[in-house]
Amino acid sequence: MSSVQLHHSDQPVSIKLVNTGTEISLVDYLAKKCPSLIGPNAFFRPTLYLPNGHLQTFWAAYYNKTETNNKVEYERQHVATEDGGTFTLDWTPSFNEMPVDNTPTLVVLHGLTGGSHESYIRSLLAVVTKAPFNYRAVVFNARGCANSELKTPRLFNGARTDDLRTALIAVQEKLGASTPLVGIGFSLGSNILVKYLGEEGDKTPLIAGVSVGNPFDFLNSSMHLERTWFRKTIYSGTMAGNLKRAFNRHATMLSKHPLVDAEKVQNAQTIREFDDLVTRPMGDYDTVNDYYRDASSSVKIKHVRVPLLCFNAMDDPISPAESIPYDEIKINPNVVLATTQHGGHLGWFEGNYSPTRWIVKPLTEYIVAMFEAHDEREASRQSQLTPQAVDDAVNAAQALE
């Protein structure tokens, strides 16, 4: 059993509850609303045959390939960027099913080479977009991801937050500026989200954020992957393979970049080698380490000005515990870090017969709490939704997987 450990400022920010007008510290509010984060039930019990980070991470990859439950359906929107590029937004429910209104909306950022199809995204959206929550969600698919066309020789980049800004503008244009928005990112997407939140401060339209499996410090995480044969070959090698496949899907366009040699890219054996051959020149960096330093959200997290929950597993082999910016988190009253001893990278599987992701429970509790705190209509609508009712809804949804 792995208890949830919280790390935060000694003086957490106070949030004003819109339905009562009273103020309460962020941590005290989470203690009331999120029993999977704080309290006697705040623990994760891994699947018996997935007791460590490697097995949890391997199962996450297997789970994504074998899951066939398509209970999350999307409506796609194409968004043009100022440089002539494009990315896509996948909305759920469709606008035929839920016409445009100001329903609280979750904005989702996927991991490396991922998209709205990923099981770690669908497992959450299958809960929060259904009764009793009935939120709207939109997945921001990065350039060239999720079977989208690439119109310029620029692939996704962990340091670039301009497309996220454009995505949020498109979301607000679609739903209206008064619609409450909470952002959540996974792995690479969580780093982009936290970096963006640190850059924007209190100017972001997001009322809160969630970071899951964030590598935080790209340079240190890269060194961690390079340090042993196993991590370099299995994890870094696998991610390099995924990146090369993403590159090859758009090779005709990406080969137009004057500094990218498509033939050399095929020889990349690690993520660092790929970044040196592709991401570095596309981002106009002198060295790959310059890119890693610029991309790291660890240097921006102290500037975040909205409530932010960061969730990491200490045995994550890809986003290592040594990269977590504990000091920066503890000086920012807006940030709460939750860690578990086990869980791997985007795993957190529990149950033995048919494992499901435990992480969906604390994430759902936090999302509900943030919408309740900041939106009067939502506070009234969800007034009967106790923390136990939230967990019951999650359990019911996962029973269908």
Side-chain angles (χ1 to χ4, degrees):
M1 188 171 70
S2 179
S3 298
V4 177
Q5 302 295 318
L6 293 190
H7 313 264
H8 53 79
S9 167
D10 291 336
Q11 296 181 313
V13 67
S14 292
I15 57 177
K16 188 174 183 179
L17 304 183
V18 68
N19 61 330
T20 63
T22 58
E23 291 192 357
I24 184 173
S25 84
L26 175 60
V27 174
D28 288 344
Y29 182 60
L30 296 183
K32 291 179 60 177
K33 293 290 185 178
C34 306
S36 296
L37 282 176
I38 306 176
N41 294 319
F43 60 85
F44 162 58
R45 183 180 286 110
T47 299
L48 284 176
Y49 47 88
L50 306 173
N52 59 51
H54 296 301
L55 293 174
Q56 286 276 333
T57 302
F58 295 159
W59 190 266
Y62 169 81
Y63 189 79
N64 198 49
K65 289 181 179 179
T66 59
E67 186 181 23
T68 58
N69 194 330
N70 296 317
K71 55 184 171 290
V72 178
E73 297 181 354
Y74 297 104
E75 179 175 331
R76 176 155 291 190
Q77 176 186 355
H78 296 267
V79 180
T81 61
E82 290 185 354
D83 66 351
T86 186
F87 59 82
T88 60
L89 298 176
D90 282 347
W91 297 85
T92 187
S94 70
F95 290 107
N96 284 334
E97 185 176 349
M98 180 185 286
V100 171
D101 60 8
N102 52 12
T103 295
T105 299
L106 187 65
V107 181
V108 187
L109 285 73
H110 60 77
L112 185 71
T113 69
S116 58
H117 59 280
E118 300 287 357
S119 68
Y120 56 80
I121 291 177
R122 288 185 290 112
S123 63
L124 176 63
L125 300 193
V127 173
V128 300
T129 63
K130 310 297 182 183
F133 313 109
N134 297 311
Y135 297 135
R136 193 191 304 276
V138 56
V139 183
F140 162 46
N141 296 308
R143 299 188 188 211
C145 292
N147 296 316
S148 60
E149 183 183 0
L150 200 63
K151 293 189 175 182
T152 60
R154 170 184 162 186
L155 207 54
F156 46 83
N157 179 317
R160 299 289 292 266
T161 56
D162 53 337
D163 282 356
L164 176 55
R165 288 183 180 82
T166 302
L168 290 172
I169 290 172
V171 169
Q172 288 196 296
E173 287 177 348
K174 191 81 168 179
L175 303 179
S178 64
T179 300
L181 305 175
V182 168
I184 182 170
F186 296 87
S187 193
L188 177 68
S190 66
N191 182 81
I192 294 172
L193 175 63
V194 172
K195 187 171 188 281
Y196 158 81
L197 289 174
E199 292 170 347
E200 290 296 291
D202 58 7
K203 296 181 176 63
T204 177
L206 299 174
I207 61 173
V210 189
S211 161
V212 185
N214 194 337
F216 288 114
D217 185 331
F218 274 39
L219 181 55
N220 189 72
S221 295
S222 172
M223 294 170 63
H224 171 80
L225 287 173
E226 297 277 322
R227 200 169 290 143
T228 69
W229 176 90
F230 186 85
R231 291 196 295 263
K232 185 174 182 178
T233 304
I234 302 301
Y235 294 115
S236 186
T238 298
M239 288 187 287
N242 293 337
L243 285 165
K244 286 190 289 186
R245 282 187 286 275
F247 181 94
N248 291 335
R249 282 195 295 271
H250 308 285
T252 301
M253 176 58 68
L254 293 174
S255 296
K256 295 179 180 180
H257 195 288
L259 299 178
V260 173
D261 187 327
E263 291 187 9
K264 289 184 178 179
V265 171
Q266 306 311 311
N267 296 322
Q269 297 300 308
T270 66
I271 189 171
R272 183 182 181 88
E273 290 177 4
F274 180 91
D275 283 336
D276 192 36
L277 291 166
V278 179
T279 315
R280 177 192 59 77
M282 283 187 179
D284 197 28
Y285 295 100
D286 292 329
T287 71
V288 68
N289 285 349
D290 284 345
Y291 161 58
Y292 288 157
R293 293 186 184 98
D294 185 43
S296 298
S297 62
S298 57
V299 300
K300 297 292 184 180
I301 196 169
K302 65 182 180 182
H303 301 301
V304 172
R305 292 296 177 265
V306 297
L308 172 65
L309 173 67
C310 300
F311 221 113
N312 281 67
M314 301 300 285
D315 63 357
D316 188 327
I318 295 171
S319 298
E322 65 192 71
S323 292
I324 297 174
Y326 288 100
D327 292 344
E328 288 76 10
I329 287 170
K330 289 182 178 179
I331 65 171
N332 188 336
N334 298 284
V335 183
V336 173
L337 168 68
T339 63
T340 53
Q341 197 62 38
H342 305 293
H345 189 67
L346 305 184
W348 286 286
F349 287 100
E350 66 175 355
N352 299 320
Y353 176 70
S354 181
T356 56
R357 280 187 165 94
W358 166 86
I359 190 71
V360 172
K361 293 179 184 178
L363 296 183
T364 300
E365 291 168 359
Y366 180 83
I367 291 163
V368 170
M370 291 300 102
F371 281 139
E372 278 193 40
H374 291 86
D375 185 71
E376 186 172 0
R377 292 155 300 177
E378 184 62 16
S380 175
R381 187 173 74 92
Q382 301 286 16
S383 60
Q384 302 303 314
L385 198 58
T386 65
Q388 184 58 53
V390 172
D391 281 357
D392 289 344
V394 173
N395 290 333
Q398 290 184 331
L400 299 176
E401 293 187 4

